[in-house]
Amino acid sequence: MKKLTILSIAVLLVLLTNQFTNAQTQSITVDTTITADCEFDPFTSSNAIHSLKISGNLTLNSDTSLVRIVLYDTLFNEYMVYESYHLIASEPSFNFYDVCDETCYLDSVSPYSLEVQIVNASLTLNTLLFEPDPILSVDSLQLLTKQAVEQQKIAQIQSIIDENEFLWFADTNTISNLNYRNKKSLFGEKYNMRGLDYYSGGIFMTYGSGPGVIDNSSIISEWD
């Protein structure tokens, strides 16, 4: 938790610096409910954007539910805008405001479309918030905000582990540190490892599963 606090303070300081130099944030109203996989283009042009955040609400209907939103640019690079599944969600149904994952800060990306991946869930996408102007220190901001996002996921996973008395530990590792594109190439589209990508030791268990990876196994002690 101390690591998360330090990261959050660092991100806040840089955010405050950029607040005075970039005040041209724009929004797009979507107001659409999505219950199946789809791809659509909500952007009015392919002019470069430098940040993308979303607001809305979602419902996860089961332990294996998944919601993931991915941004494609005009070169068909992929950036995960947001994801939620049972182990990183505080509630099965909730609102979210101005959230982002790999798109909090972008280095001049020309948007092409948004892809929504849905597994037994419902997503209402209300608004998109984007920054059309370049942002100072974008590389540092990308790194800091992604680290903060990952620490938030780990904190939520660990709280569920503790609450359910699962016998494993969550932390960053070489798998969790991969970006969406690399995880997709390893585990396939619409992957949902249900927390295994944050495994760092112990006996892996999750909702609706039996014992999994044991810490003295010859197979794996942690992802490395």
Side-chain angles (χ1 to χ4, degrees), residues 79-99:
Y79 309 85
M80 184 164 65
V81 182
Y82 183 64
E83 69 173 354
S84 186
Y85 51 89
H86 203 63
L87 210 59
I88 60 172
S90 57
E91 300 288 342
S93 183
F94 59 92
N95 298 318
F96 54 87
Y97 303 97
D98 298 342
V99 296

Side-chain angles (χ1 to χ4, degrees), residues 35-83:
T35 57
D37 294 351
C38 68
E39 184 176 354
F40 64 101
D41 176 15
F43 304 101
T44 55
S45 76
S46 59
N47 292 339
I49 62 174
H50 301 84
S51 174
L52 179 63
K53 302 176 183 180
I54 61 173
S55 297
N57 62 79
L58 63 83
T59 298
L60 303 171
N61 296 318
S62 74
D63 295 345
T64 57
S65 294
L66 170 71
V67 171
R68 183 177 291 124
I69 301 100
V70 178
L71 169 68
Y72 284 85
D73 69 12
T74 52
L75 299 176
F76 296 100
N77 296 309
E78 300 164 288
Y79 309 85
M80 184 164 65
V81 182
Y82 183 64
E83 69 173 354

